[in-house]
Amino acid sequence: MHYRASNYESFVQDFRLPSETEWEYSARGGMDNNPYPWGGPYARNSRGCFLGNFKPIRGRYMEDGGFNTVKVSSYHPNDYGLYCMAGNVAEWCRTAYDASSYDFGHDMNTEYTYNALDHDPPSMKRKVVRGGSWKDIGYYLQNGTRTYEYQDTAKSYIGFRSVMNYLGRGGQNKEGDF
């Protein structure tokens, strides 16, 4: 329970993991038809430089400038200004993983959630991981590629990005009304 809620105070900001849909929307940066967050169909630019931190060329990790994680600002952000949406570390999503979730999901609500209990089987404890990491091949850096990890494990190549619910604009608007 949140501290403010336990003291009957108003709860203003709620930080959480993004859903899989929110993560993909953010990673695409407004460019719907491109496989990577940087907008192109390739993992290198026209000069041959890698555009993300991942495992290139048969595991030669140093080819892209990093043996493991690198500074977030080492590569350019996408068009929404978000850094490392592909590579560096993969990112947890709050969405539960099911390989067939695209078959039973609905267009208006693609969110599939399940809060696993300790006695649930391992297949019920999987959460979606997106974005690929420094140890993944380029395929996992693509916006539409999804994989999973068990929610009760920690890995050196998986991190998280928190999101905040948007509450609307605050204060007075230009006419003086609230």
Side-chain angles (χ1 to χ4, degrees):
M1 180 177 237
H2 294 285
Y3 170 79
R4 295 184 71 88
S6 66
N7 290 320
Y8 303 103
E9 296 177 18
S10 63
F11 192 76
V12 178
Q13 306 297 346
D14 185 20
F15 293 93
R16 59 180 172 74
L17 290 176
S19 68
E20 182 178 14
T21 305
E22 290 170 326
W23 187 94
E24 186 170 335
Y25 179 84
S26 300
R28 290 189 181 279
M31 297 180 286
D32 291 337
N33 296 322
N34 292 310
Y36 294 104
W38 45 81
Y42 306 109
R44 293 181 189 227
N45 65 16
S46 60
R47 295 186 312 258
C49 299
F50 288 102
L51 297 168
N53 182 17
F54 65 104
K55 180 170 82 173
I57 312 173
R58 298 182 187 228
R60 294 183 1 211
Y61 289 97
M62 293 304 290
E63 291 290 321
D64 67 348
F67 181 66
N68 48 28
T69 58
V70 296
K71 285 183 179 180
V72 171
S73 60
S74 296
Y75 300 97
H76 295 290
N78 70 5
D79 283 359
Y80 286 159
L82 300 172
Y83 288 89
C84 292
M85 290 302 290
N88 217 19
V89 293
E91 297 179 11
W92 288 107
C93 294
R94 70 179 185 185
T95 306
Y97 180 85
D98 189 311
S100 62
S101 64
Y102 288 162
D103 296 332
F104 63 79
H106 190 274
D107 289 349
M108 298 303 286
N109 184 9
T110 58
E111 185 68 11
Y112 170 57
T113 59
Y114 180 75
N115 295 322
L117 304 172
D118 289 339
H119 63 275
D120 284 335
S123 64
M124 301 301 289
K125 296 180 180 181
R126 300 182 296 186
K127 295 289 185 185
V128 172
V129 175
R130 300 290 293 264
S133 73
W134 56 268
K135 69 140 197 89
D136 292 318
I137 60 173
Y139 169 77
Y140 291 102
L141 274 63
Q142 295 182 21
N143 294 325
T145 303
R146 65 197 302 253
T147 188
Y148 68 89
E149 191 55 68
Y150 295 97
Q151 68 185 31
D152 56 357
T153 62
K155 305 287 185 190
S156 64
Y157 51 86
I158 301 177
F160 66 94
R161 183 181 306 260
S162 61
V163 297
M164 180 179 66
N165 292 335
Y166 178 69
L167 300 175
R169 97 181 159 205
Q172 294 180 327
N173 54 23
K174 297 195 188 277
E175 292 83 30
D177 298 333
F178 281 98

